[in-house]
Amino acid sequence: MVQMIWNQERETMSRGALEALQLELLRRQVATVYEKVPFYRHALRARGVSAQDIHSLDDLDRLPFTTKSDFRDNYPFGLLAVPRRQLSRVHASSGTTGKPTVVAYTQADVDMWREVCARNLVAGGVTEDDMVQIAMGYGLFTGGLGWHYGAEHLGATVVPMSSGNTRRQIMLLQDFEATVFCATPSYAIYLAEQADEMGVDLTQTTLRVGIHGAEPWSDEMRREIARRMGIDPIDTYGLSELVGPGVSGECTAHCGLHINEDHFLAEIVDPKSGERLLPGERGELVITALTKEALPVIRYRTGDITRLDTSPCACGRTLARMEKISGRTDDMLILRGVNVFPSQIETVLLRLEGVQPHYVILVDRDMGTMDDVEIWVEVSQDLFADNIGRLRELQKTAEFEMFETLGIHARIKLVEPHSIERSMGKSQRVIDRRNVYGS
Ligand code: DLL
């Protein structure tokens, strides 16, 4: 397979050379945070470690973790390693409760960010000849501006739409002949649905690549997007605490997301104990930002569940691949003792004929004691208008499959098309009301 590689030197390094580079950068970064960031100086002193103690990458586990609450405790600029006037940009993640997580970039950080985003776009099949319609949110969210800079950097043409305004998006993507569409998977599905209603067949447009990410999505959802939009949907991953998009992304071989390891050092730990796991084991992704100047985060607990694979990839890149994220540690539902991620529920649902990719999982506690799960899922208009017998049959099959495949007892409620709220960004799939009982 011949594939364009944006940064041949960095993306095809031998593992030995890459690890030597990572070690050098790690030592430098630890020395910097010790000197410049009081939070890290205290944490390192408490563990009796300094840069001199890092002799190999195995010494990583001597370093302290950083968590989301450390960002909150140091809100807004307490973790900075540079004076504020050196900042070029500030972003923030929405944060469902309380203060947002604030992240900052120097000019060198913005340059690095655009470089890693360009790599991911090229890996996904984007070229300088492409017209890239960016339908991820612009603003404090990193999705819009991240891809914007990356796409410009590689020489493509950018249409900075942001999310929403869906009918206009559909009109312009046809008129401008966009070839690449960047959006969260849920927004891509929503746009496809609106296009159907407008009588526009997206598979007949010039669109050919979808750049997605920012939320968990199953392979079934990927197939649905590919079918409805006639594009190759590419998964990309990142988080604001590091840069935003640009941490990792799939190549067109679709066998995991290549991590930009010369900037982001990845490890997998047991989410409970924090112990490092063996190569290939699945657990929580922890990342150290090796080159960031403004906010050099050490061992950030992403909360995202995946595993790493360093075996050679068909595309020629040597950068390790992470498996598609199955969910977040804090999104994992424990239902009567069975662990399940919303993306697994999505997989089961979307395999059923007549079911639409719009669903919500409601978890409650029956009389305050037993977990009670109800899944609302939309069905196609045809099916909804059909006789009750077919609906009843589908409901029974869905309930049976949930138990057979995932071991959970869930009531399935088949609902009318358009009755579940659509999302322009990240969708909220789970409404968990159990903690109102305070357990
Ligand atoms: O979502 C950055 C981003 C923008 C990534 C555009 C990809 C594309 P945050 O808002 O800080 O940043 O949210 C980060 O979103 O810890 C994951 O839980 C989740 N997430 C991001 N990408 C994926 C993905 C952006 N491909 C949080 N699959 C992360 C599953 C993802 N979850």
Side-chain angles (χ1 to χ4, degrees), residues 333-380:
L333 296 165
I334 305 177
L335 305 171
R336 301 188 191 179
V338 180
N339 297 353
V340 58
F341 285 114
S343 63
Q344 293 174 287
I345 292 182
E346 177 177 296
T347 298
V348 172
L349 289 175
L350 297 191
R351 282 190 189 147
L352 301 166
E353 184 114 15
V355 157
Q356 298 296 299
H358 304 288
Y359 65 94
V360 60
I361 304 161
L362 301 140
V363 189
D364 213 329
R365 195 150 281 173
D366 178 22
M367 307 298 285
T369 53
M370 289 282 268
D371 298 331
D372 179 73
V373 191
E374 187 162 280
I375 301 168
W376 292 17
V377 60
E378 288 184 16
V379 291
S380 63

mmCIF file of all heavy atoms in Angstrom, residues 333-380:
data_model
loop_
_atom_site.group_PDB
_atom_site.id
_atom_site.type_symbol
_atom_site.label_atom_id
_atom_site.label_comp_id
_atom_site.label_asym_id
_atom_site.label_seq_id
_atom_site.Cartn_x
_atom_site.Cartn_y
_atom_site.Cartn_z
ATOM 1 N N LEU A 333 -20.450 1.673 32.668
ATOM 2 C CA LEU A 333 -21.621 1.422 33.499
ATOM 3 C C LEU A 333 -21.427 0.096 34.208
ATOM 4 O O LEU A 333 -20.989 -0.882 33.598
ATOM 5 C CB LEU A 333 -22.864 1.336 32.607
ATOM 6 C CG LEU A 333 -23.233 2.614 31.853
ATOM 7 C CD1 LEU A 333 -24.235 2.313 30.750
ATOM 8 C CD2 LEU A 333 -23.804 3.629 32.831
ATOM 9 N N ILE A 334 -21.718 0.091 35.484
ATOM 10 C CA ILE A 334 -21.693 -1.198 36.190
ATOM 11 C C ILE A 334 -23.141 -1.506 36.508
ATOM 12 O O ILE A 334 -23.749 -0.857 37.363
ATOM 13 C CB ILE A 334 -20.813 -1.149 37.445
ATOM 14 C CG1 ILE A 334 -19.410 -0.665 37.044
ATOM 15 C CG2 ILE A 334 -20.737 -2.523 38.113
ATOM 16 C CD1 ILE A 334 -18.440 -0.505 38.199
ATOM 17 N N LEU A 335 -23.690 -2.447 35.737
ATOM 18 C CA LEU A 335 -25.114 -2.745 35.848
ATOM 19 C C LEU A 335 -25.292 -4.099 36.509
ATOM 20 O O LEU A 335 -24.930 -5.122 35.931
ATOM 21 C CB LEU A 335 -25.755 -2.734 34.457
ATOM 22 C CG LEU A 335 -25.546 -1.427 33.666
ATOM 23 C CD1 LEU A 335 -26.008 -1.582 32.232
ATOM 24 C CD2 LEU A 335 -26.276 -0.276 34.340
ATOM 25 N N ARG A 336 -25.784 -4.073 37.694
ATOM 26 C CA ARG A 336 -25.936 -5.299 38.497
ATOM 27 C C ARG A 336 -24.652 -6.132 38.415
ATOM 28 O O ARG A 336 -24.676 -7.330 38.135
ATOM 29 C CB ARG A 336 -27.122 -6.126 38.012
ATOM 30 C CG ARG A 336 -28.427 -5.336 38.083
ATOM 31 C CD ARG A 336 -29.609 -6.199 37.803
ATOM 32 N NE ARG A 336 -30.794 -5.398 37.613
ATOM 33 C CZ ARG A 336 -31.974 -5.893 37.328
ATOM 34 N NH1 ARG A 336 -32.137 -7.201 37.220
ATOM 35 N NH2 ARG A 336 -32.997 -5.107 37.160
ATOM 36 N N GLY A 337 -23.533 -5.441 38.562
ATOM 37 C CA GLY A 337 -22.247 -6.135 38.606
ATOM 38 C C GLY A 337 -21.609 -6.414 37.251
ATOM 39 O O GLY A 337 -20.494 -6.911 37.181
ATOM 40 N N VAL A 338 -22.303 -6.096 36.160
ATOM 41 C CA VAL A 338 -21.719 -6.336 34.824
ATOM 42 C C VAL A 338 -21.168 -5.009 34.294
ATOM 43 O O VAL A 338 -21.869 -4.000 34.299
ATOM 44 C CB VAL A 338 -22.783 -6.894 33.843
ATOM 45 C CG1 VAL A 338 -22.174 -7.136 32.470
ATOM 46 C CG2 VAL A 338 -23.402 -8.162 34.405
ATOM 47 N N ASN A 339 -19.887 -5.045 33.843
ATOM 48 C CA ASN A 339 -19.285 -3.822 33.312
ATOM 49 C C ASN A 339 -19.598 -3.684 31.836
ATOM 50 O O ASN A 339 -19.368 -4.608 31.066
ATOM 51 C CB ASN A 339 -17.767 -3.871 33.447
ATOM 52 C CG ASN A 339 -17.345 -3.945 34.898
ATOM 53 O OD1 ASN A 339 -18.184 -3.820 35.790
ATOM 54 N ND2 ASN A 339 -16.070 -4.149 35.122
ATOM 55 N N VAL A 340 -20.067 -2.520 31.446
ATOM 56 C CA VAL A 340 -20.380 -2.341 30.027
ATOM 57 C C VAL A 340 -20.174 -0.879 29.626
ATOM 58 O O VAL A 340 -20.475 0.040 30.388
ATOM 59 C CB VAL A 340 -21.815 -2.872 29.708
ATOM 60 C CG1 VAL A 340 -22.860 -2.206 30.530
ATOM 61 C CG2 VAL A 340 -22.167 -2.718 28.243
ATOM 62 N N PHE A 341 -19.589 -0.691 28.433
ATOM 63 C CA PHE A 341 -19.411 0.652 27.902
ATOM 64 C C PHE A 341 -20.566 0.980 26.966
ATOM 65 O O PHE A 341 -21.045 0.101 26.247
ATOM 66 C CB PHE A 341 -18.111 0.753 27.094
ATOM 67 C CG PHE A 341 -16.889 0.799 27.947
ATOM 68 C CD1 PHE A 341 -15.967 -0.237 27.921
ATOM 69 C CD2 PHE A 341 -16.651 1.883 28.780
ATOM 70 C CE1 PHE A 341 -14.831 -0.190 28.719
ATOM 71 C CE2 PHE A 341 -15.527 1.937 29.576
ATOM 72 C CZ PHE A 341 -14.614 0.901 29.551
ATOM 73 N N PRO A 342 -20.980 2.249 26.921
ATOM 74 C CA PRO A 342 -22.044 2.635 25.986
ATOM 75 C C PRO A 342 -21.733 2.210 24.543
ATOM 76 O O PRO A 342 -22.638 1.842 23.802
ATOM 77 C CB PRO A 342 -22.080 4.163 26.115
ATOM 78 C CG PRO A 342 -21.567 4.438 27.488
ATOM 79 C CD PRO A 342 -20.556 3.374 27.780
ATOM 80 N N SER A 343 -20.450 2.229 24.144
ATOM 81 C CA SER A 343 -20.130 1.862 22.753
ATOM 82 C C SER A 343 -20.451 0.391 22.474
ATOM 83 O O SER A 343 -20.753 0.013 21.342
ATOM 84 C CB SER A 343 -18.663 2.160 22.430
ATOM 85 O OG SER A 343 -17.821 1.377 23.233
ATOM 86 N N GLN A 344 -20.421 -0.456 23.520
ATOM 87 C CA GLN A 344 -20.783 -1.874 23.305
ATOM 88 C C GLN A 344 -22.299 -1.988 23.090
ATOM 89 O O GLN A 344 -22.757 -2.787 22.289
ATOM 90 C CB GLN A 344 -20.369 -2.711 24.512
ATOM 91 C CG GLN A 344 -18.877 -2.814 24.688
ATOM 92 C CD GLN A 344 -18.540 -3.524 25.988
ATOM 93 O OE1 GLN A 344 -18.692 -2.977 27.082
ATOM 94 N NE2 GLN A 344 -18.089 -4.756 25.879
ATOM 95 N N ILE A 345 -23.037 -1.168 23.807
ATOM 96 C CA ILE A 345 -24.498 -1.162 23.631
ATOM 97 C C ILE A 345 -24.811 -0.679 22.216
ATOM 98 O O ILE A 345 -25.658 -1.239 21.515
ATOM 99 C CB ILE A 345 -25.158 -0.273 24.714
ATOM 100 C CG1 ILE A 345 -24.965 -0.950 26.083
ATOM 101 C CG2 ILE A 345 -26.638 -0.004 24.401
ATOM 102 C CD1 ILE A 345 -25.581 -0.250 27.258
ATOM 103 N N GLU A 346 -24.076 0.352 21.772
ATOM 104 C CA GLU A 346 -24.269 0.876 20.411
ATOM 105 C C GLU A 346 -24.038 -0.225 19.371
ATOM 106 O O GLU A 346 -24.804 -0.385 18.421
ATOM 107 C CB GLU A 346 -23.301 2.033 20.189
ATOM 108 C CG GLU A 346 -23.350 2.625 18.791
ATOM 109 C CD GLU A 346 -22.421 3.826 18.661
ATOM 110 O OE1 GLU A 346 -22.633 4.834 19.338
ATOM 111 O OE2 GLU A 346 -21.449 3.732 17.869
ATOM 112 N N THR A 347 -22.978 -1.011 19.572
ATOM 113 C CA THR A 347 -22.657 -2.085 18.629
ATOM 114 C C THR A 347 -23.833 -3.053 18.504
ATOM 115 O O THR A 347 -24.245 -3.403 17.402
ATOM 116 C CB THR A 347 -21.390 -2.844 19.100
ATOM 117 O OG1 THR A 347 -20.332 -1.900 19.108
ATOM 118 C CG2 THR A 347 -21.038 -4.009 18.201
ATOM 119 N N VAL A 348 -24.371 -3.475 19.633
ATOM 120 C CA VAL A 348 -25.479 -4.427 19.611
ATOM 121 C C VAL A 348 -26.692 -3.808 18.902
ATOM 122 O O VAL A 348 -27.316 -4.444 18.031
ATOM 123 C CB VAL A 348 -25.849 -4.890 21.038
ATOM 124 C CG1 VAL A 348 -27.110 -5.732 21.036
ATOM 125 C CG2 VAL A 348 -24.694 -5.654 21.668
ATOM 126 N N LEU A 349 -26.989 -2.569 19.230
ATOM 127 C CA LEU A 349 -28.173 -1.922 18.637
ATOM 128 C C LEU A 349 -28.058 -1.793 17.122
ATOM 129 O O LEU A 349 -28.985 -2.120 16.376
ATOM 130 C CB LEU A 349 -28.370 -0.521 19.227
ATOM 131 C CG LEU A 349 -28.840 -0.434 20.675
ATOM 132 C CD1 LEU A 349 -28.862 1.020 21.127
ATOM 133 C CD2 LEU A 349 -30.227 -1.051 20.834
ATOM 134 N N LEU A 350 -26.892 -1.306 16.667
ATOM 135 C CA LEU A 350 -26.782 -0.988 15.238
ATOM 136 C C LEU A 350 -26.680 -2.232 14.349
ATOM 137 O O LEU A 350 -26.763 -2.136 13.140
ATOM 138 C CB LEU A 350 -25.613 -0.036 14.973
ATOM 139 C CG LEU A 350 -25.727 1.345 15.620
ATOM 140 C CD1 LEU A 350 -24.669 2.303 15.097
ATOM 141 C CD2 LEU A 350 -27.106 1.959 15.400
ATOM 142 N N ARG A 351 -26.505 -3.379 14.983
ATOM 143 C CA ARG A 351 -26.509 -4.612 14.181
ATOM 144 C C ARG A 351 -27.925 -5.042 13.823
ATOM 145 O O ARG A 351 -28.121 -5.938 13.019
ATOM 146 C CB ARG A 351 -25.810 -5.738 14.936
ATOM 147 C CG ARG A 351 -24.306 -5.591 14.868
ATOM 148 C CD ARG A 351 -23.627 -6.819 15.410
ATOM 149 N NE ARG A 351 -22.212 -6.559 15.533
ATOM 150 C CZ ARG A 351 -21.428 -7.057 16.464
ATOM 151 N NH1 ARG A 351 -21.940 -7.880 17.362
ATOM 152 N NH2 ARG A 351 -20.160 -6.770 16.498
ATOM 153 N N LEU A 352 -28.902 -4.425 14.482
ATOM 154 C CA LEU A 352 -30.288 -4.848 14.260
ATOM 155 C C LEU A 352 -30.911 -4.082 13.108
ATOM 156 O O LEU A 352 -30.789 -2.857 13.039
ATOM 157 C CB LEU A 352 -31.117 -4.605 15.530
ATOM 158 C CG LEU A 352 -30.630 -5.329 16.783
ATOM 159 C CD1 LEU A 352 -31.299 -4.757 18.019
ATOM 160 C CD2 LEU A 352 -30.909 -6.826 16.658
ATOM 161 N N GLU A 353 -31.561 -4.802 12.252
ATOM 162 C CA GLU A 353 -32.215 -4.191 11.086
ATOM 163 C C GLU A 353 -33.362 -3.264 11.499
ATOM 164 O O GLU A 353 -34.160 -3.632 12.357
ATOM 165 C CB GLU A 353 -32.764 -5.321 10.222
ATOM 166 C CG GLU A 353 -33.387 -4.868 8.945
ATOM 167 C CD GLU A 353 -32.580 -5.342 7.740
ATOM 168 O OE1 GLU A 353 -31.724 -6.235 7.923
ATOM 169 O OE2 GLU A 353 -32.825 -4.826 6.669
ATOM 170 N N GLY A 354 -33.387 -2.070 10.934
ATOM 171 C CA GLY A 354 -34.501 -1.160 11.201
ATOM 172 C C GLY A 354 -34.204 -0.154 12.308
ATOM 173 O O GLY A 354 -34.933 0.811 12.492
ATOM 174 N N VAL A 355 -33.106 -0.409 13.047
ATOM 175 C CA VAL A 355 -32.745 0.484 14.145
ATOM 176 C C VAL A 355 -31.907 1.641 13.595
ATOM 177 O O VAL A 355 -31.095 1.460 12.704
ATOM 178 C CB VAL A 355 -31.969 -0.329 15.218
ATOM 179 C CG1 VAL A 355 -31.096 0.560 16.063
ATOM 180 C CG2 VAL A 355 -32.951 -1.094 16.086
ATOM 181 N N GLN A 356 -32.127 2.847 14.104
ATOM 182 C CA GLN A 356 -31.390 4.029 13.656
ATOM 183 C C GLN A 356 -30.290 4.388 14.665
ATOM 184 O O GLN A 356 -30.414 4.053 15.848
ATOM 185 C CB GLN A 356 -32.359 5.216 13.531
ATOM 186 C CG GLN A 356 -33.450 5.002 12.501
ATOM 187 C CD GLN A 356 -32.859 4.886 11.100
ATOM 188 O OE1 GLN A 356 -32.236 5.802 10.607
ATOM 189 N NE2 GLN A 356 -33.056 3.734 10.479
ATOM 190 N N PRO A 357 -29.238 5.088 14.225
ATOM 191 C CA PRO A 357 -28.125 5.382 15.153
ATOM 192 C C PRO A 357 -28.427 6.523 16.130
ATOM 193 O O PRO A 357 -27.615 7.417 16.321
ATOM 194 C CB PRO A 357 -26.974 5.740 14.214
ATOM 195 C CG PRO A 357 -27.624 6.207 12.974
ATOM 196 C CD PRO A 357 -28.957 5.547 12.871
ATOM 197 N N HIS A 358 -29.592 6.524 16.718
ATOM 198 C CA HIS A 358 -29.966 7.534 17.707
ATOM 199 C C HIS A 358 -30.548 6.804 18.906
ATOM 200 O O HIS A 358 -31.591 6.165 18.790
ATOM 201 C CB HIS A 358 -31.031 8.483 17.131
ATOM 202 C CG HIS A 358 -30.591 9.126 15.857
ATOM 203 N ND1 HIS A 358 -29.626 10.102 15.822
ATOM 204 C CD2 HIS A 358 -30.946 8.894 14.571
ATOM 205 C CE1 HIS A 358 -29.413 10.457 14.567
ATOM 206 N NE2 HIS A 358 -30.188 9.741 13.788
ATOM 207 N N TYR A 359 -29.843 6.909 20.012
ATOM 208 C CA TYR A 359 -30.291 6.155 21.186
ATOM 209 C C TYR A 359 -29.864 6.864 22.455
ATOM 210 O O TYR A 359 -28.988 7.739 22.434
ATOM 211 C CB TYR A 359 -29.696 4.736 21.154
ATOM 212 C CG TYR A 359 -28.200 4.729 21.277
ATOM 213 C CD1 TYR A 359 -27.588 4.574 22.504
ATOM 214 C CD2 TYR A 359 -27.383 4.912 20.168
ATOM 215 C CE1 TYR A 359 -26.213 4.610 22.631
ATOM 216 C CE2 TYR A 359 -26.009 4.958 20.278
ATOM 217 C CZ TYR A 359 -25.430 4.804 21.510
ATOM 218 O OH TYR A 359 -24.063 4.857 21.641
ATOM 219 N N VAL A 360 -30.486 6.504 23.548
ATOM 220 C CA VAL A 360 -30.072 7.029 24.847
ATOM 221 C C VAL A 360 -30.264 5.932 25.887
ATOM 222 O O VAL A 360 -31.195 5.127 25.804
ATOM 223 C CB VAL A 360 -30.819 8.358 25.164
ATOM 224 C CG1 VAL A 360 -32.309 8.169 25.205
ATOM 225 C CG2 VAL A 360 -30.357 8.978 26.461
ATOM 226 N N ILE A 361 -29.322 5.871 26.821
ATOM 227 C CA ILE A 361 -29.358 4.811 27.828
ATOM 228 C C ILE A 361 -29.734 5.451 29.165
ATOM 229 O O ILE A 361 -29.037 6.348 29.641
ATOM 230 C CB ILE A 361 -27.968 4.144 27.949
ATOM 231 C CG1 ILE A 361 -27.506 3.626 26.571
ATOM 232 C CG2 ILE A 361 -27.963 3.030 28.995
ATOM 233 C CD1 ILE A 361 -26.014 3.372 26.473
ATOM 234 N N LEU A 362 -30.834 4.998 29.723
ATOM 235 C CA LEU A 362 -31.286 5.580 31.001
ATOM 236 C C LEU A 362 -31.051 4.568 32.109
ATOM 237 O O LEU A 362 -31.547 3.450 32.044
ATOM 238 C CB LEU A 362 -32.789 5.882 30.915
ATOM 239 C CG LEU A 362 -33.151 6.847 29.784
ATOM 240 C CD1 LEU A 362 -34.424 6.416 29.103
ATOM 241 C CD2 LEU A 362 -33.282 8.235 30.329
ATOM 242 N N VAL A 363 -30.279 4.985 33.094
ATOM 243 C CA VAL A 363 -29.989 4.077 34.191
ATOM 244 C C VAL A 363 -30.575 4.671 35.462
ATOM 245 O O VAL A 363 -30.419 5.860 35.730
ATOM 246 C CB VAL A 363 -28.468 3.884 34.380
ATOM 247 C CG1 VAL A 363 -28.197 2.768 35.383
ATOM 248 C CG2 VAL A 363 -27.804 3.569 33.058
ATOM 249 N N ASP A 364 -31.244 3.816 36.190
ATOM 250 C CA ASP A 364 -31.889 4.288 37.411
ATOM 251 C C ASP A 364 -31.729 3.199 38.470
ATOM 252 O O ASP A 364 -31.233 2.109 38.179
ATOM 253 C CB ASP A 364 -33.379 4.546 37.136
ATOM 254 C CG ASP A 364 -33.871 5.713 37.979
ATOM 255 O OD1 ASP A 364 -33.337 5.889 39.086
ATOM 256 O OD2 ASP A 364 -34.776 6.427 37.520
ATOM 257 N N ARG A 365 -32.176 3.498 39.663
ATOM 258 C CA ARG A 365 -32.113 2.446 40.682
ATOM 259 C C ARG A 365 -33.527 2.149 41.116
ATOM 260 O O ARG A 365 -34.208 2.982 41.706
ATOM 261 C CB ARG A 365 -31.232 2.908 41.841
ATOM 262 C CG ARG A 365 -30.832 1.781 42.717
ATOM 263 C CD ARG A 365 -29.501 2.019 43.339
ATOM 264 N NE ARG A 365 -28.395 1.735 42.431
ATOM 265 C CZ ARG A 365 -27.130 1.988 42.704
ATOM 266 N NH1 ARG A 365 -26.788 2.546 43.834
ATOM 267 N NH2 ARG A 365 -26.193 1.675 41.842
ATOM 268 N N ASP A 366 -33.918 0.919 40.787
ATOM 269 C CA ASP A 366 -35.251 0.436 41.047
ATOM 270 C C ASP A 366 -35.499 0.413 42.554
ATOM 271 O O ASP A 366 -34.808 -0.296 43.284
ATOM 272 C CB ASP A 366 -35.271 -0.983 40.444
ATOM 273 C CG ASP A 366 -36.556 -1.680 40.641
ATOM 274 O OD1 ASP A 366 -37.556 -0.992 40.845
ATOM 275 O OD2 ASP A 366 -36.543 -2.922 40.578
ATOM 276 N N MET A 367 -36.432 1.191 43.039
ATOM 277 C CA MET A 367 -36.758 1.305 44.472
ATOM 278 C C MET A 367 -35.485 1.592 45.281
ATOM 279 O O MET A 367 -35.369 1.214 46.427
ATOM 280 C CB MET A 367 -37.363 -0.011 45.005
ATOM 281 C CG MET A 367 -38.531 -0.541 44.234
ATOM 282 S SD MET A 367 -39.939 0.569 44.250
ATOM 283 C CE MET A 367 -40.536 0.284 45.906
ATOM 284 N N GLY A 368 -34.509 2.207 44.628
ATOM 285 C CA GLY A 368 -33.286 2.546 45.346
ATOM 286 C C GLY A 368 -32.348 1.381 45.571
ATOM 287 O O GLY A 368 -31.352 1.506 46.265
ATOM 288 N N THR A 369 -32.615 0.221 44.992
ATOM 289 C CA THR A 369 -31.717 -0.911 45.266
ATOM 290 C C THR A 369 -31.109 -1.533 44.011
ATOM 291 O O THR A 369 -29.902 -1.603 43.881
ATOM 292 C CB THR A 369 -32.440 -2.019 46.050
ATOM 293 O OG1 THR A 369 -33.637 -2.345 45.331
ATOM 294 C CG2 THR A 369 -32.740 -1.613 47.474
ATOM 295 N N MET A 370 -31.956 -1.960 43.052
ATOM 296 C CA MET A 370 -31.444 -2.675 41.880
ATOM 297 C C MET A 370 -31.243 -1.717 40.704
ATOM 298 O O MET A 370 -32.060 -0.836 40.488
ATOM 299 C CB MET A 370 -32.456 -3.739 41.448
ATOM 300 C CG MET A 370 -32.553 -4.898 42.393
ATOM 301 S SD MET A 370 -31.171 -6.005 42.137
ATOM 302 C CE MET A 370 -31.921 -7.104 40.942
ATOM 303 N N ASP A 371 -30.172 -1.932 39.924
ATOM 304 C CA ASP A 371 -29.974 -1.109 38.734
ATOM 305 C C ASP A 371 -31.039 -1.431 37.702
ATOM 306 O O ASP A 371 -31.326 -2.595 37.430
ATOM 307 C CB ASP A 371 -28.600 -1.393 38.104
ATOM 308 C CG ASP A 371 -27.483 -1.048 39.054
ATOM 309 O OD1 ASP A 371 -27.673 -0.153 39.882
ATOM 310 O OD2 ASP A 371 -26.424 -1.700 38.955
ATOM 311 N N ASP A 372 -31.594 -0.389 37.157
ATOM 312 C CA ASP A 372 -32.656 -0.569 36.186
ATOM 313 C C ASP A 372 -32.230 0.166 34.909
ATOM 314 O O ASP A 372 -31.894 1.345 34.951
ATOM 315 C CB ASP A 372 -33.922 0.071 36.785
ATOM 316 C CG ASP A 372 -35.086 -0.035 35.848
ATOM 317 O OD1 ASP A 372 -35.609 -1.145 35.713
ATOM 318 O OD2 ASP A 372 -35.456 1.001 35.248
ATOM 319 N N VAL A 373 -32.210 -0.549 33.782
ATOM 320 C CA VAL A 373 -31.720 0.054 32.546
ATOM 321 C C VAL A 373 -32.805 0.051 31.488
ATOM 322 O O VAL A 373 -33.416 -0.995 31.213
ATOM 323 C CB VAL A 373 -30.540 -0.767 31.963
ATOM 324 C CG1 VAL A 373 -29.868 0.012 30.835
ATOM 325 C CG2 VAL A 373 -29.561 -1.126 33.027
ATOM 326 N N GLU A 374 -32.992 1.211 30.887
ATOM 327 C CA GLU A 374 -33.926 1.290 29.774
ATOM 328 C C GLU A 374 -33.189 1.958 28.620
ATOM 329 O O GLU A 374 -32.518 2.973 28.813
ATOM 330 C CB GLU A 374 -35.148 2.112 30.176
ATOM 331 C CG GLU A 374 -36.226 2.082 29.117
ATOM 332 C CD GLU A 374 -37.585 2.508 29.681
ATOM 333 O OE1 GLU A 374 -38.250 1.670 30.321
ATOM 334 O OE2 GLU A 374 -37.953 3.674 29.486
ATOM 335 N N ILE A 375 -33.292 1.364 27.437
ATOM 336 C CA ILE A 375 -32.613 1.948 26.285
ATOM 337 C C ILE A 375 -33.671 2.407 25.296
ATOM 338 O O ILE A 375 -34.497 1.610 24.854
ATOM 339 C CB ILE A 375 -31.667 0.922 25.628
ATOM 340 C CG1 ILE A 375 -30.630 0.456 26.656
ATOM 341 C CG2 ILE A 375 -30.985 1.529 24.397
ATOM 342 C CD1 ILE A 375 -29.838 -0.749 26.236
ATOM 343 N N TRP A 376 -33.628 3.677 24.977
ATOM 344 C CA TRP A 376 -34.547 4.210 23.978
ATOM 345 C C TRP A 376 -33.792 4.268 22.666
ATOM 346 O O TRP A 376 -32.694 4.831 22.601
ATOM 347 C CB TRP A 376 -34.982 5.629 24.347
ATOM 348 C CG TRP A 376 -35.845 5.714 25.562
ATOM 349 C CD1 TRP A 376 -36.016 4.765 26.515
ATOM 350 C CD2 TRP A 376 -36.644 6.836 25.943
ATOM 351 N NE1 TRP A 376 -36.880 5.207 27.475
ATOM 352 C CE2 TRP A 376 -37.279 6.480 27.154
ATOM 353 C CE3 TRP A 376 -36.885 8.089 25.392
ATOM 354 C CZ2 TRP A 376 -38.140 7.341 27.817
ATOM 355 C CZ3 TRP A 376 -37.739 8.957 26.056
ATOM 356 C CH2 TRP A 376 -38.364 8.584 27.252
ATOM 357 N N VAL A 377 -34.373 3.717 21.656
ATOM 358 C CA VAL A 377 -33.701 3.755 20.357
ATOM 359 C C VAL A 377 -34.731 4.025 19.262
ATOM 360 O O VAL A 377 -35.847 3.500 19.301
ATOM 361 C CB VAL A 377 -32.874 2.456 20.114
ATOM 362 C CG1 VAL A 377 -33.724 1.211 20.142
ATOM 363 C CG2 VAL A 377 -32.109 2.533 18.805
ATOM 364 N N GLU A 378 -34.324 4.853 18.330
ATOM 365 C CA GLU A 378 -35.246 5.184 17.230
ATOM 366 C C GLU A 378 -35.252 4.069 16.195
ATOM 367 O O GLU A 378 -34.235 3.419 15.965
ATOM 368 C CB GLU A 378 -34.803 6.483 16.539
ATOM 369 C CG GLU A 378 -35.057 7.690 17.390
ATOM 370 C CD GLU A 378 -34.710 9.006 16.689
ATOM 371 O OE1 GLU A 378 -34.550 9.019 15.444
ATOM 372 O OE2 GLU A 378 -34.594 10.014 17.395
ATOM 373 N N VAL A 379 -36.412 3.902 15.575
ATOM 374 C CA VAL A 379 -36.500 2.952 14.461
ATOM 375 C C VAL A 379 -36.848 3.733 13.196
ATOM 376 O O VAL A 379 -37.244 4.897 13.262
ATOM 377 C CB VAL A 379 -37.559 1.854 14.702
ATOM 378 C CG1 VAL A 379 -37.114 0.923 15.826
ATOM 379 C CG2 VAL A 379 -38.917 2.457 15.010
ATOM 380 N N SER A 380 -36.677 3.088 12.047
ATOM 381 C CA SER A 380 -36.938 3.785 10.783
ATOM 382 C C SER A 380 -38.428 4.115 10.656
ATOM 383 O O SER A 380 -39.281 3.467 11.275
ATOM 384 C CB SER A 380 -36.490 2.916 9.608
ATOM 385 O OG SER A 380 -37.257 1.746 9.614
#
